[in-house]
Amino acid sequence: PPRRSSVLAAPTTLDVATLNIAQRIPLGDEAKGLFFGKSTQDGALLVSKMGAGEIAVVDTATHTVRTTFTDLDLNGGELSDGDLSTGPDGVERFVYPTGTGDTIVTLDPQTGTTLGTAETKEGANPTRVTTSPADGSIWVQQPGSDTHAVYDPATLKRLKRFDTGKNPTLGPFTIYAAYAYTAHADSNFIQVIDTTKHILLAHILFPRD
């Protein structure tokens, strides 16, 4: 396939009243894409640069880059996503999956120091992550094994693994995180999961065209 050229990565902020672009924040060249989740209590937004294998730390008040973490543990994979977890212990951890690296990594959002690493089943290919706003638990979609796994934020112990449809790609929560959802790229249903009991409750089917 043709090589994908790098473009200037610049996340934007929107005026919520008009939906006009308010700010563009240049992060340098990026060939594959950007991922980010929740910001830290002190207003830092960690942005994963997939192609560059870097995490830019953006100040949400000044719309400037505080620093960039470059020495990341990718285990031969790539920076496939990223979100902030705040566990029951009150500790903030940034978590990212490594795709073909078959690991999930947490790091200190202030220093970029690796805090923990969990290995997935070989070939699981963890590519997307969302952390629960209720307890900071880490929910990872693994399209290589068609599974959705849940990890403890402090220990990275796997708490539960759900079988999914083909190619799970998204895992959002309801506003108070009572329920989690698993959406798929190649299956016509969404899973509904009770986040407290870790029980699969239902499949929401969508008709195929």
Side-chain angles (χ1 to χ4, degrees):
R3 176 173 292 181
R4 194 175 185 180
S5 60
S6 294
V7 297
L8 180 64
T12 60
T13 63
L14 300 179
D15 184 305
V16 294
T18 65
L19 295 185
N20 292 328
I21 293 175
Q23 296 279 345
R24 293 184 186 274
I25 308 166
L27 300 183
D29 289 343
E30 173 52 39
K32 292 187 175 181
L34 303 176
F35 301 97
F36 54 87
K38 296 173 278 295
S39 60
T40 64
Q41 287 188 344
D42 73 344
L45 181 69
L46 277 70
V47 182
S48 298
K49 300 174 64 178
M50 186 177 189
E54 300 174 346
I55 296 173
V57 182
V58 176
D59 190 306
T60 58
T62 64
H63 304 115
T64 58
V65 177
R66 293 181 183 178
T67 187
T68 301
F69 303 142
T70 58
D71 187 20
L72 303 180
D73 179 6
L74 298 175
N75 199 37
E78 60 186 0
L79 193 57
S80 297
D81 201 354
D83 198 3
L84 187 80
S85 165
T86 304
D89 56 6
V91 175
E92 293 182 324
R93 302 169 177 88
F94 185 75
V95 57
Y96 62 86
T98 63
T100 55
D102 287 324
T103 55
I104 295 101
V105 181
T106 55
L107 58 75
D108 185 321
Q110 303 298 325
T111 65
T113 303
T114 298
L115 299 175
T117 303
E119 295 183 359
T120 68
K121 180 180 178 180
E122 184 177 357
N125 194 21
T127 55
R128 296 293 179 266
V129 62
T130 312
T131 65
S132 168
D135 62 8
S137 56
I138 297 165
W139 295 63
V140 183
Q141 289 76 60
Q142 302 175 146
S145 57
D146 290 332
T147 55
H148 189 165
V150 187
Y151 295 86
D152 180 275
T155 65
L156 284 182
K157 176 184 177 182
R158 193 182 72 215
L159 304 175
K160 185 72 175 183
R161 182 170 60 198
F162 299 92
D163 290 330
T164 67
K166 294 181 63 178
N167 199 5
T169 55
L170 291 173
F173 296 88
T174 53
I175 189 168
Y176 297 113
Y179 303 103
Y181 301 94
T182 309
H184 306 83
D186 297 315
S187 290
N188 66 328
F189 64 87
I190 292 174
Q191 290 179 318
V192 184
I193 299 168
D194 182 311
T195 59
T196 301
K197 298 179 179 179
H198 290 163
I199 297 174
L200 179 62
L201 297 176
H203 288 175
I204 302 173
L205 295 175
F206 295 91
R208 295 186 182 276
D209 294 334

